[in-house]
Amino acid sequence: MTITRRNVLGLATALSTIAISAPAFAQEFQFSIHHFLSPKSPAQTVLLEPWAKSIEDASGGRIHFEIFPAMSLGGSPPELFSQVRDGVVDLAWTLPGYTPGSFPHLEVFELPNVHGGDARATNLAINDMIDDLAADFEDVHPILVHVHAGNALHLAGRTVESAEDFAGLKVRSPSRTGAWVIEELGAEPVAMPVPALPQALSKKVVDAALVPFEVAIPLGLSELTDSSVELDGGKRFGTSTFLFAMNKDSYESLPEDLQKIIDDHSGRALAEEMGVKWNGIEPVGKQMAEDAGNSVVALSAEASAAFDGPFEAVAGRWLAEAESKGIDGQALIEKARAAVAEHSE
């Protein structure tokens, strides 16, 4: 082909058009993810890192994430929800229990006589009822609402063999419903974000803590406690709910094709996957405690039955408050129990 001035001008025009349109086509989005645990915690290594990579891969690199663990962007754990709601961060993984009373519908799944000890079952139950819970998340774009396997009791310098043995203990509470459980058992609840727990145990500010074995791993609790206790059949003293959410403006800044990628990596499939993985971490934490020379025990069926009354009292307390807010708490409890039972193996 003979190169003419017309050819050169035509090529220059074409290249200019490509240069102008390419950034719009391949626009990139950089988002922050903030959470309160260490970069080695299962929350980051099992949930946040794989999720972020799956989005980055599916988007062909058009979406990028940077994860900021251990409150490295500032603030305290109870501020995480307001940070993502207000756009201080793009996404946050947080504990609704850090802002007591702000998630009155979701709290039903924290009740010990609703959650048994199977994170997968409760995660799927939450997903089944997400429309019933939606009012709690209307200020953010939820990615995942989930639980962990549930709260075992980890004690320093002692153990418990019955409900009566709780009397007088100072126990770290994961949430206000957890605090109600502790109060009903005659112990003193001590509220604190979980990163403060190792120091509280070492300084004897608390005698024990309600956390799952999964959380005990990154906190090194096997070195700070002497015994861990759960109920018969692996049941727990309630659980905590977690919220992984995106700022609404950040989500809406994405074109529809990228919003669809976010949506395709949210919800039921993610809930089930994380439930299975959270369940799978518990034996690892138990083994670490046993390797440290700690006792790890499940109370007998008879001893566990003594907790039924206190657990029902906690549910009654929650129910009375829910109904005072115009929430049909009884319907929520019944529906949640049925959904958990349906998905329990």
Side-chain angles (χ1 to χ4, degrees):
M1 181 181 73
T2 302
I3 298 177
T4 65
R5 184 171 182 274
R6 178 176 292 181
N7 296 141
V8 172
L9 288 174
L11 180 61
T13 300
L15 290 173
S16 176
T17 302
I18 292 170
I20 291 170
S21 62
F25 176 78
Q27 184 177 3
E28 294 186 355
F29 297 85
Q30 179 77 35
F31 295 126
S32 57
I33 302 176
H34 203 198
H35 71 97
F36 59 93
L37 292 178
S38 80
K40 295 183 179 180
S41 66
Q44 178 155 333
T45 61
V46 175
L47 169 59
L48 299 178
E49 289 176 357
W51 182 86
K53 186 177 187 306
S54 72
I55 300 294
E56 291 171 347
D57 290 347
S59 69
R62 293 172 64 195
I63 300 178
H64 300 273
F65 298 98
E66 186 170 0
I67 300 174
F68 296 89
M71 301 306 300
S72 51
L73 290 179
S76 61
E79 296 175 85
L80 278 167
F81 181 74
S82 63
Q83 287 182 354
V84 71
R85 180 195 63 204
D86 299 339
V88 176
V89 300
D90 297 299
L91 297 100
W93 180 79
T94 187
L95 193 73
Y98 284 160
T99 50
S102 299
F103 299 84
H105 300 80
L106 181 60
E107 275 185 335
V108 69
F109 285 101
E110 296 182 356
L111 300 176
N113 59 2
V114 170
H115 172 75
D118 182 347
R120 174 188 172 275
T122 301
N123 280 5
L124 288 173
I126 289 172
N127 187 82
D128 288 351
M129 291 178 58
I130 202 68
D131 290 342
D132 300 286
L133 312 174
D136 289 358
F137 319 120
E138 59 187 6
D139 293 332
V140 295
H141 181 82
I143 303 295
L144 173 66
V145 186
H146 72 103
V147 299
H148 52 201
N151 299 314
L153 183 70
H154 306 269
L155 303 104
R158 65 190 75 200
T159 191
V160 301
E161 297 178 351
S162 67
E164 291 78 12
D165 291 341
F166 274 78
L169 293 178
K170 292 182 292 183
V171 184
R172 180 264 173 182
S173 165
S175 62
R176 69 176 191 152
T177 53
W180 295 349
V181 170
I182 294 165
E183 289 173 352
E184 287 294 334
L185 293 170
E188 177 186 347
V190 181
M192 68 181 69
V194 75
L197 180 55
Q199 185 177 34
L201 281 167
S202 64
K203 292 189 174 182
K204 303 187 185 307
V205 174
V206 295
D207 303 305
L210 286 175
V211 294
F213 287 92
E214 161 257 322
V215 169
I217 296 173
L219 295 180
L221 293 194
S222 61
E223 304 300 323
L224 297 169
T225 58
D226 300 285
S227 67
S228 299
V229 179
E230 59 186 352
L231 298 172
D232 181 52
K235 292 185 178 180
R236 300 298 173 89
F237 303 90
T239 190
S240 295
T241 54
F242 296 86
L243 172 64
F244 182 33
M246 190 171 188
N247 173 265
K248 278 191 169 182
D249 290 339
S250 298
Y251 175 79
E252 292 169 2
S253 73
L254 294 169
E256 287 186 5
D257 63 320
L258 295 185
Q259 287 184 2
K260 185 176 186 304
I261 289 173
I262 296 288
D263 295 343
D264 288 346
H265 291 76
S266 305
R268 184 181 182 85
L270 182 61
E272 182 167 20
E273 178 187 359
M274 288 303 107
V276 170
K277 289 185 175 180
W278 250 250
N279 285 344
I281 297 170
E282 290 298 280
V284 177
K286 288 183 181 182
Q287 189 61 54
M288 288 181 65
E290 291 174 349
D291 291 345
N294 297 352
S295 67
V296 178
V297 300
L299 298 182
S300 68
E302 182 180 2
S304 297
F307 290 87
D308 291 345
F311 289 172
E312 284 294 333
V314 169
R317 183 171 175 179
W318 178 85
L319 180 60
E321 183 173 305
E323 292 183 345
S324 74
K325 296 179 178 180
I327 297 170
D328 188 347
Q330 188 61 45
L332 278 179
I333 287 178
E334 291 174 2
K335 193 170 183 178
R337 283 174 173 164
V340 169
E342 178 184 348
H343 293 294
S344 296
E345 297 176 347

